[in-house]
Amino acid sequence: MNRPILASIDVNAFSHNLSRVRDLAPESKIWSVIKAKGYGHTLDAVLQGLESTDGFAILDITDAQWLRDHAWGGRILLLEGLFHQNEVDLAVKLRCDLVIHNEKQLEWLEAYQNRSGHEINIFLKLNSGMNRLGFRSEPYRLAFHRLHAAGYHMHHMTHFANADQVERSPSVGEQMDCFDRAIAGLSAPISLANSAAILWHRQTLGDWVRPGIMLYGVSPTGAYADIVRSDLQAVMTLRSEVIDIQELKKGEHVGYGGRFEAPEDMRVGIVACGYADGYPRQAADGTPVWVDAAGADGTAVICPIAGQVSMDMLTIDLRGAPSAKVGTVVELWGKEVPVDDVAQMSGTIGYELICALAPRVPVTIK
Ligand SMILES: *Cc1c(COP(=O)(O)O)cnc(C)c1O
C-alpha cells in the first residue's frame, strides 16, 4: 500500500438505509438515485448494497450500459432523459425509463418508431415551481396527451425545491397544489419525493419515491442533527493515518498562511489527507477529526483541524490526544464523524463532499 488513505464502503449500511426507505414508504416503489457514481460511492458498491431496490435512477446512459453489463435486470430511469436524438435506440435497447422535460425530447420520441416489442415508460416532468427542468402546467398537459397518443406508458413527475426547509418558497404544499392541478384527470403513476420529502412530507410519497442522499446516510438539510433519529447509517468512511508529529512552541504557526497559532507548547499531527483527496480546503480550524486510541486512556478522541488544509496533508491539534503517534489511524468522515459536520465547518453540504471524493483515493467495498 502506498499512502495510508482509504475510503471504505459498507454495503450492509446501504441495505440498512434502503430498508429504512421501505419502512417510510411501504406502498411506494423505490428509485435509488445513484447519479455521480452513486454519490461518489462507486457503482460496484451500489449494485452490491442496493440490489433489492426496484430501480436505479441515473444521468448517464453509459451507467445504464454498465448496469446491464453487470446483470442488473431491474428498472433504470434516466433522470434527465436523453441529451441527443441519436441515443433513443440505445436507451430503448437498454430498457431505460425516460424523463421527458422539454419539447425537443418530446419531438424525438414522437419521431421514434418503437420496434422493440416492449412498452417504453416515460416520466413526464412538471416544473411545479423549482424552475429548473420541466414543462409548466398547460404545455405539460399537452405533452402528456401527445406522448400518450404516441403509445408511451406515462408517469407524472416533479421535483421539490425545499423539502428540507419549511419556510422557503416554493413550499412543498405550493408545489403539490401546482402538481395536483396540472395532472387533474390524467391518470398515471406519480413520482415526487426525494430524501427530504420521504423523511418529512409523507403526503408526497406516491407510486415511486426517489431517495438519494439518505441511502448514503447523509442529511438532506446539511445538518446531521436532522437525521440523527432517522436510523440511517453512514456508508462511506474515509480514513488515513498520522504520518508525522511536530512539537510546537507557544506562538509558532502551522502550515500555509500560518492560520493556526499555538497558544501553548503543544503537539500537532500531520495526516495524509488533503484537498486533492476531496477533503475540503475550506475546513475551518475546529473541524472534527476522529483519532483512534489516542486519548490518555487509549480510547479514541476527536481532535480539531489546526491550520489550513493543503493538497496532500492536513494538520490536527493533538493536545487531547497524548497517545497519538506516527501510524495512528484517523477518520476524516464516516461512522465516527458525520460528513455533515465536516461539511458544515467548510461552508458546504455532505452531498458535495461524498461526490467529490478524489479518484486518487483507493476505495474498498466491504
Ligand atoms: C438527485 C435527485 C434526487 C435525489 O435527491 P436527494 O436529495 O439526494 O434524495 C431525486 N430526484 C431527482 C430528480 C434528482 O435529481
Side-chain angles (χ1 to χ4, degrees), residues 99-272:
V99 169
I100 298 295
H101 61 79
N102 67 26
E103 179 68 25
K104 267 276 165 282
Q105 295 175 326
L106 175 57
E107 287 166 10
W108 298 341
L109 286 188
E110 280 186 324
Y112 184 70
Q113 302 289 317
N114 181 10
R115 298 194 189 83
S116 70
H118 55 255
E119 210 166 34
I120 301 172
N121 292 306
I122 301 291
F123 284 72
L124 188 61
K125 190 155 185 185
L126 175 74
N127 171 13
S128 58
M130 183 158 183
N131 295 323
R132 205 174 52 174
L133 298 182
F135 297 89
R136 289 185 181 253
S137 300
E138 277 314 306
Y140 182 89
R141 296 180 65 82
L142 290 173
F144 187 95
H145 287 301
R146 282 167 61 185
L147 287 164
H148 183 71
Y152 293 98
H153 186 237
M154 299 304 294
H155 302 68
H156 297 295
M157 173 179 174
T158 197
H159 191 54
F160 296 120
N162 292 308
D164 61 323
Q165 295 282 342
V166 262
E167 272 154 13
R168 288 215 193 118
S169 182
S171 68
V172 167
E174 285 162 353
Q175 288 193 260
M176 285 289 280
D177 289 345
C178 174
F179 182 77
D180 288 341
R181 279 195 304 274
I183 70 163
L186 306 177
S187 170
I190 67 174
S191 177
L192 311 169
N194 57 6
S195 297
I198 293 164
L199 286 164
W200 301 307
H201 302 277
R202 313 301 309 282
Q203 75 280 18
T204 66
L205 296 178
D207 300 284
W208 284 88
V209 291
R210 302 192 308 271
I213 199 72
M214 67 184 293
L215 294 173
Y216 307 93
V218 178
S219 174
T221 66
Y224 182 68
D226 292 325
I227 59 161
V228 75
R229 279 174 299 279
S230 300
D231 185 23
L232 298 170
Q233 297 174 4
V235 179
M236 179 193 294
T237 295
L238 180 62
R239 290 197 168 190
S240 188
E241 289 178 10
V242 174
I243 58 166
D244 204 350
I245 290 181
Q246 292 298 330
E247 314 269 352
L248 300 189
K249 294 267 176 269
K250 179 176 178 194
E252 289 183 328
H253 294 84
V254 179
Y256 292 116
R259 184 177 79 187
F260 180 82
E261 178 180 326
E264 59 189 309
D265 292 0
M266 61 179 281
R267 297 197 312 156
V268 163
I270 320 304
V271 173

